[in-house]
Amino acid sequence: MVDAIFFIFIAMKVILLEFYRFIKNKVVIIFLFTCVGLFSQNNFSLQEGKKSDKIKFELANNLIIIPVVVNDIELSFILDTGVSSTIIFSVDNTSSLELKNASKIYLRGLGDEEPVEAIKSTNNELRIGGALSSDQTIYLVLDESINFSPRMGFPIHGIIGYDFFKNFILDINYDRGYIRVHSPDSYGYKKCRKCFETTLDFKNQKKKPFITAQYKSKKGLIDVNLLLDSGSGSTLWLFENKEKGIQVNNSSFRDFLGKGFSGDIYGRKTKIEELRIGDFKLKEVKASFPDSIYLQGLSRNNRQGSLGGGILKRFNLIVDYPHKKISFKKNSFFDLPFYYNMGGLTIQHIGFTLGQNTGENYKYEENDRVYLGINNIVSKKTIQLANNFVLVPKYEISDVRPNSPADEAGLKKGDIIMSVNGRFAYNYKLSDLNELFYSEEGKSIRIKVQRLGTEIKYQFYLKKVL
């Protein structure tokens, strides 16, 4: 639900250029020049005799995070219906990951920068729960700036989508945090009167799923074709089209929308009166309209936007790529209101600081900071050291929205968060800190920060943007 944390992996182009040797930061890429590796099948299957498997996931910022074992190294991936390839963009320095059959390529995505350099690797082994692929193609992005772990509060190493979805029927239970993976030939659909079932329309070489929803505009209800994008933490993206009646209304504001592989994306944020998915009606829905400059090269003839995790998490889904259909059933998240960040702050994890365990709390020792690196993140616990000292998470303000309550109070990008509402910052999970700014209008936020070695106290009140 954090507006500034949108992970957009749309319109991905992969261009094979030349063979390339890459050895860096204990990431070892091994060349096995065999013709077999050039024609990877990327097929997952369940263990022999198993018809289904249950995988637990963590829901963070509307994104599904699952454990993926790559060549015997366990990593954390975003499960992303919006991508056609498996991509790694961050690897812990403590891990030694072996990737096979390497070649140099470039990846292009939404954004205003140049394509990013990457490595294509074939014949890798991937395991997700009881599902195994022994012939998997992976793309490793070399740009170190593409790292989403600080905004999440724990390591995120990559994304996987079509390569996994295409082989199974996935029962995704958002409110209970698990996925049931079913073999298509043994799955039996149950009658569900409270469900809406519709067709998945695959475009872009049949690897990206689209559904038709209805958007309420000044011209009435309009059919819109939307990319099903579980890898975007946003709610709804719409592309302006005056002929169809898809336009930003007068109540909007300009903001950062997300980060793609080719740079930052900006546009307008607003709320639309209604979005319908079958008989389900979603009211006062947050919607983002990206500037047209970021959509260059993206075909918009049969596409009007994207349906992100902010909406998808309000349903339990049965996603059936083999039979090209999807089922929606509303869950406990369905009636939650669509709020924008009412404080205007976005906070990120930037490493650890040294504290002393005093029993009830940790004594903050900012002058004795210990920095372990962004990828070495412990999200739910501290690290115990000798002599009763611990390493505790350190948080920083990464963005302040102009004219927001936090901005008017005087908070700045780069301020180090020391405490919030009388509680040490490191006693919060990152997601809980950011969630404070969505809680209730009028809520008081008392925050102490460190800026250039000086401690400063601020107070502001949450205020609705729209």
Side-chain angles (χ1 to χ4, degrees), residues 22-238:
F22 174 69
I23 301 178
K24 186 177 183 180
N25 290 336
K26 297 185 181 179
V27 178
V28 182
I29 297 174
I30 298 177
F31 289 84
L32 300 174
F33 292 108
T34 63
C35 59
V36 176
L38 299 178
F39 301 97
S40 177
Q41 297 301 309
N42 295 333
N43 285 322
F44 278 89
S45 60
L46 292 172
Q47 296 174 358
E48 187 174 353
K50 292 195 67 173
K51 297 180 179 180
S52 67
D53 187 49
K54 184 177 180 180
I55 301 170
K56 292 184 178 180
F57 66 80
E58 182 160 356
L59 186 64
N61 304 318
N62 302 326
L63 303 173
I64 295 174
I65 314 299
I66 59 172
V68 178
V69 180
V70 181
N71 297 334
D72 295 324
I73 300 296
E74 183 169 324
L75 304 175
S76 296
F77 277 45
I78 296 170
L79 188 62
D80 187 354
T81 53
V83 295
S84 55
S85 303
T86 300
I87 301 171
I88 293 177
F89 45 74
S90 174
V91 179
D92 289 354
N93 290 332
T94 57
S95 300
S96 181
L97 178 65
E98 176 186 287
L99 297 179
K100 305 172 183 178
N101 302 316
S103 56
K104 179 181 175 182
I105 54 95
Y106 286 93
L107 297 175
R108 180 187 295 277
L110 290 183
D112 56 358
E113 298 177 7
E114 295 298 317
V116 296
E117 191 176 52
I119 293 294
K120 178 182 179 181
S121 170
T122 61
N123 296 120
N124 298 285
E125 181 181 281
L126 265 67
R127 283 188 287 116
I128 302 176
L132 173 69
S133 172
S134 58
D135 194 15
Q136 187 71 30
T137 296
I138 295 174
Y139 299 92
L140 174 66
V141 176
L142 306 184
D143 188 343
E144 294 180 355
S145 69
I146 301 176
N147 185 352
F148 303 113
S149 298
R151 296 288 182 97
M152 298 291 282
F154 52 85
I156 299 296
H157 304 105
I159 51 177
I160 188 166
Y162 178 79
D163 289 344
F164 185 61
F165 279 95
K166 70 175 182 177
N167 298 123
F168 303 113
I169 298 173
L170 269 58
D171 186 344
I172 302 176
N173 195 308
Y174 270 98
D175 54 357
R176 294 188 179 182
Y178 70 82
I179 300 170
R180 286 277 186 190
V181 180
H182 299 274
S183 175
D185 55 7
S186 61
Y187 183 78
Y189 275 92
K190 298 178 181 179
K191 290 184 178 181
C192 179
R193 294 181 180 180
K194 296 183 179 181
C195 297
F196 168 66
E197 185 179 295
T198 188
T199 301
L200 288 176
D201 182 11
F202 285 88
K203 305 180 189 299
N204 188 31
Q205 298 179 344
K206 299 182 179 181
K207 290 188 176 183
K208 294 185 179 181
F210 288 75
I211 67 166
T212 299
Q214 290 184 308
Y215 155 66
K216 193 171 185 179
S217 72
K218 293 180 180 179
K219 293 186 176 182
L221 287 174
I222 300 170
D223 284 346
V224 285
N225 291 320
L226 303 174
L227 173 70
L228 195 72
D229 194 0
S230 66
S232 168
S234 62
T235 301
L236 175 68
W237 275 37
L238 290 172

Side-chain angles (χ1 to χ4, degrees), residues 195-403:
C195 297
F196 168 66
E197 185 179 295
T198 188
T199 301
L200 288 176
D201 182 11
F202 285 88
K203 305 180 189 299
N204 188 31
Q205 298 179 344
K206 299 182 179 181
K207 290 188 176 183
K208 294 185 179 181
F210 288 75
I211 67 166
T212 299
Q214 290 184 308
Y215 155 66
K216 193 171 185 179
S217 72
K218 293 180 180 179
K219 293 186 176 182
L221 287 174
I222 300 170
D223 284 346
V224 285
N225 291 320
L226 303 174
L227 173 70
L228 195 72
D229 194 0
S230 66
S232 168
S234 62
T235 301
L236 175 68
W237 275 37
L238 290 172
F239 305 152
E240 281 198 274
N241 187 323
K242 293 182 180 180
E243 293 182 2
K244 286 185 69 70
I246 304 174
Q247 292 181 271
V248 183
N249 59 41
N250 294 330
S251 299
S252 67
F253 61 98
R254 183 168 174 78
D255 203 3
F256 169 76
L257 301 188
K259 183 178 178 64
F261 278 126
S262 298
D264 292 342
I265 304 164
Y266 292 86
R268 307 293 300 183
K269 288 182 177 179
T270 186
K271 282 189 176 181
I272 63 170
E273 181 181 346
E274 183 178 291
L275 182 76
R276 295 187 184 183
I277 301 175
D279 293 330
F280 297 116
K281 299 178 182 179
L282 297 154
K283 302 286 189 179
E284 294 297 311
V285 178
K286 294 192 303 184
S288 299
F289 288 76
D291 294 342
S292 59
I293 188 174
Y294 303 111
L295 304 177
Q296 294 179 4
L298 182 66
S299 176
R300 285 176 278 170
N301 294 330
N302 296 308
R303 177 183 175 187
Q304 285 77 51
S306 302
L307 199 64
I311 286 180
L312 296 178
K313 80 165 190 179
R314 295 163 189 265
F315 300 91
N316 291 335
L317 307 173
I318 298 176
V319 184
D320 185 349
Y321 276 36
H323 301 107
K324 299 181 180 179
K325 59 184 179 179
I326 184 170
S327 175
F328 292 80
K329 183 179 182 180
K330 69 178 183 180
N331 61 27
S332 60
F333 296 134
F334 185 84
D335 292 322
L336 293 177
F338 291 94
Y339 285 139
Y340 280 111
N341 186 320
M342 292 185 284
L345 284 184
T346 302
I347 298 171
Q348 69 178 3
H349 185 294
I350 58 166
F352 291 87
T353 189
L354 189 63
Q356 188 172 13
N357 190 347
T358 59
E360 295 182 1
N361 276 313
Y362 296 113
K363 182 180 178 182
Y364 195 85
E365 299 286 350
E366 177 59 29
N367 293 329
D368 295 319
R369 283 181 292 173
V370 176
Y371 181 72
L372 297 185
I374 285 173
N375 282 329
N376 297 327
I377 293 173
V378 177
S379 62
K380 295 183 179 179
K381 60 182 179 180
T382 58
I383 300 175
Q384 185 69 48
L385 302 177
N387 300 321
N388 218 29
F389 281 93
V390 292
L391 292 177
V392 295
K394 180 182 175 187
Y395 301 121
E396 173 190 76
I397 295 176
S398 60
D399 184 70
V400 183
R401 190 177 67 240
N403 303 316

Side-chain angles (χ1 to χ4, degrees), residues 15-26:
I15 307 169
L16 181 62
L17 296 180
E18 58 181 319
F19 287 102
Y20 181 71
R21 190 180 187 95
F22 174 69
I23 301 178
K24 186 177 183 180
N25 290 336
K26 297 185 181 179

